[in-house]
Amino acid sequence: MSQSIQFGINGHPIEGATYTDLSISQQLNLIHQEGLTSYRIDVYDASSSTIASLSSLISQAKALGISILPCIA
């Protein structure tokens, strides 16, 4: 049986990020253009604004075939 490898990238697109030079849509488009399918992000808290940002990010990423992996930082 043949298995394919899925590659992803690490980033910091939401509140508390150390860099925000590119918008979320620009980041997602670059990830998609490179053929990556996973985006690991840091989540710093469970505030309503963080959850709203995360929900928006998940929706935008899903439309491009990208899975979001939120990790507690």
Side-chain angles (χ1 to χ4, degrees):
M1 180 192 314
S2 172
Q3 292 182 329
S4 64
I5 297 173
Q6 296 181 349
F7 287 94
I9 194 166
N10 185 56
H12 310 279
I14 60 177
E15 287 95 33
T18 55
Y19 62 87
T20 54
D21 293 343
L22 298 175
S23 70
I24 289 173
S25 65
Q26 288 172 313
Q27 291 178 49
L28 291 174
N29 284 324
L30 286 171
I31 292 166
H32 179 69
Q33 288 171 7
E34 293 301 319
L36 304 174
T37 58
S38 178
Y39 194 17
R40 182 217 170 269
I41 65 163
D42 292 334
V43 176
Y44 300 97
D45 61 53
S47 68
S48 58
S49 64
T50 297
I51 298 303
S53 294
L54 182 57
S55 295
S56 176
L57 176 63
I58 290 169
S59 295
Q60 291 176 61
K62 186 176 182 179
L64 295 171
I66 300 167
S67 298
I68 299 299
L69 176 60
C71 295
I72 298 170

